Amino acid sequence: MKKHFLALHDFSKAELDAMFALTAELKQKQKNGVEHHLLKGKALAMIFEKSSTRTRISFEVGMFQLGGHPLFISNRDSQMGRGEPIKDTARVMARYCDGVMIRTFGQEIVEEFAQYSDVPVINGLTDLFHPCQIMADLFTVIEHKGGYQGLKYAWIGDGNNMANTWIEAAAIFGFDLTLACPEGYDPDAKVLEWARANGTSRIEVVRDPKVAAAGADVLNTDVWASMGQEQEQKTREKAFAGYQLDQQLLNLANPDAVVLHCLPAHRGEEISDEVIEGPNSVVWDEAENRLHIQKAIMATLMK
């Protein structure tokens, strides 16, 4: 069975570094107008149980640029959305396509799908992990900082799938990470336990965002209420008061710190308009790099 991309811990540091190298190569080729049809004649099924802007466009355009064919499948367009067992859908799709990308709710869904799929399965997002986004984030850091090591990373906000994946990244790549989360909104305890058992980096969860931001080289945040949590919006706004990544917080970081946000951004909530539009923001490079990193992931798995 081919290797799947369900979480960062599925791969070694060396394998992920090789994906970064391929990303740089493919990005340069695209910028220079050089054809790179590494997946010519191949098809990628893209299953969206959660809607998206960046995930759909970046995978669809990326597969096209690699010479392959993307197939968009919403919950309304598949029998899986009508209750067909995941394992049945997985086995059938593997007969038609050369790879599958899934953006869904439970991590167990992509894991079961991968268990029964004979073609590579890519996690486009689950409630537990968002590995493609963190790879894009780290590639953006590499571009702006010359590498990802020796830097201090800060996460401000919800201990969600992004925070969980940053924790995995810290353990795998060996950098220090401080996460500032309100009480009751901590990252997944099992992910933290795994990271501390399998890495040597310092990973701390604190309550004060100023502690996390102080001396940071990379600051990252995300919406306070993720998709599916809209009914908690008002409750979360109260819990996250004081956790906005604003200029006052940014001033505590290193002067040349970079600011990341996976988007969509709720300006005036988790991040201020001043910061996301400011000189430290690399958010638009980060968004673009979803395209390039995912091309490298697809090429690595499906070539």
Side-chain angles (χ1 to χ4, degrees), residues 69-288:
H69 181 71
L71 298 95
F72 172 76
I73 304 165
S74 73
N75 227 19
R76 300 184 301 274
D77 303 322
S78 76
Q79 295 299 334
M80 196 167 93
R82 300 183 183 94
E84 180 177 51
I86 294 169
K87 59 185 178 182
D88 292 2
T89 299
R91 286 184 284 208
V92 171
M93 281 197 178
R95 302 287 180 109
Y96 298 148
C97 301
D98 303 283
V100 179
M101 186 283 298
I102 309 178
R103 182 179 169 95
T104 187
F105 294 88
Q107 181 73 13
E108 69 278 2
I109 295 172
V110 295
E111 290 178 355
E112 182 179 351
F113 201 104
Q115 181 182 348
Y116 290 96
S117 174
D118 289 330
V119 299
V121 175
I122 299 170
N123 178 2
L125 173 141
T126 66
D127 290 341
L128 185 63
F129 292 125
H130 199 353
C132 292
Q133 181 66 59
I134 299 305
M135 289 292 285
D137 290 6
L138 282 171
F139 184 74
T140 306
V141 172
I142 291 169
E143 286 186 317
H144 285 269
K145 292 291 189 181
Y148 54 72
Q149 291 180 324
L151 302 174
K152 180 183 176 183
Y153 293 74
W155 174 264
I156 312 293
D158 192 18
N160 60 11
N161 51 6
M162 285 287 294
N164 292 335
T165 316
W166 270 110
I167 290 167
E168 280 206 324
I172 294 166
F173 293 108
F175 53 74
D176 292 341
L177 171 67
T178 304
L179 305 102
C181 308
E183 192 164 356
Y185 296 93
D186 284 351
D188 187 89
K190 289 184 179 179
V191 174
L192 264 173
E193 182 182 357
W194 176 89
R196 287 166 174 163
N198 289 275
T200 57
S201 54
R202 188 185 66 192
I203 303 171
E204 295 182 301
V205 179
V206 299
R207 298 291 172 232
D208 188 349
K210 294 183 179 67
V211 172
D217 301 292
V218 180
L219 296 102
N220 203 340
T221 189
D222 193 8
V223 295
W224 292 339
S226 298
M227 193 176 295
Q229 298 172 336
E230 290 82 1
Q231 72 281 2
E232 302 175 28
Q233 180 69 32
K234 295 300 180 185
T235 303
R236 284 173 171 263
E237 283 178 10
K238 292 178 182 177
F240 286 88
Y243 281 80
Q244 182 184 110
L245 181 45
D246 56 15
Q247 191 62 47
Q248 186 177 3
L249 204 58
L250 179 57
N251 288 341
L252 298 174
N254 285 333
D256 61 348
V258 295
V259 172
L260 300 169
H261 192 307
C262 62
L263 302 176
H266 294 172
R267 297 165 191 240
E269 290 184 15
E270 77 279 355
I271 193 167
S272 69
D273 189 78
E274 181 183 15
V275 168
I276 198 170
E277 296 289 355
N280 297 83
S281 172
V282 294
V283 168
W284 317 115
D285 292 341
E286 174 191 6
E288 177 191 340

Side-chain angles (χ1 to χ4, degrees), residues 23 27 30-31 288-296:
T23 300
K27 183 173 182 177
Q30 193 227 323
K31 298 296 183 188
E288 177 191 340
N289 283 333
R290 284 289 302 277
L291 169 67
H292 306 299
I293 198 76
Q294 287 161 188
K295 284 164 66 175

